[in-house]
Amino acid sequence: MIAQATQVDGQNAVQILLLLGGITLVPAALFTITGFTRILIVLGFIRTGLGTPTAPPNQVLVGIALFLTIFVMMPTIKAVNHDAIQPLRDKRQSPAINPPIQRSGPIAQE
């Protein structure tokens, strides 16, 4: 009974470690993969161009940039969900992988 509790605790610790590691990579992915930085820079230029260098605070600009980034990336997020995440959850092959395998010929299919 005690051995099972330690096994579960060890798995939970690893899951928490992986979760925290993934959470730390989210800001890096936001800055490098999406257009968040570009949108934020453009909003800063607009703020300066309007002659109000501090009127909307930086936190407001970051919030607007985050909303616009999610809005712009939504088609990509939906495509990734449909083509990669859902087939992985259902334990079936992705539709994006099937056509190249079918076109490859009999040798590659074996």
Side-chain angles (χ1 to χ4, degrees), residues 67-81:
F67 173 75
L68 288 173
T69 301
I70 292 170
F71 179 74
V72 168
M73 293 295 294
M74 191 54 67
T76 304
I77 293 169
K78 285 182 181 179
V80 167
N81 185 32

Side-chain angles (χ1 to χ4, degrees), residues 8-54:
V8 172
D9 290 338
Q11 289 175 353
N12 287 340
V14 171
Q15 288 176 349
I16 290 172
L17 181 69
L18 290 175
L19 178 69
L20 289 175
I23 289 173
T24 59
L25 296 176
V26 168
L30 181 69
F31 289 135
T32 57
I33 296 174
T34 66
F36 175 78
T37 308
R38 292 180 179 147
I39 293 171
L40 188 59
I41 290 171
V42 168
L43 288 175
F45 284 158
I46 291 171
R47 177 176 69 177
T48 306
L50 290 173
T52 57
T54 59

Side-chain angles (χ1 to χ4, degrees), residues 92-110:
R92 60 184 167 85
Q93 197 170 23
S94 172
I97 295 176
N98 286 335
I101 290 175
Q102 291 171 355
R103 286 184 280 148
S104 63
I107 295 174
Q109 291 179 357
E110 292 178 2

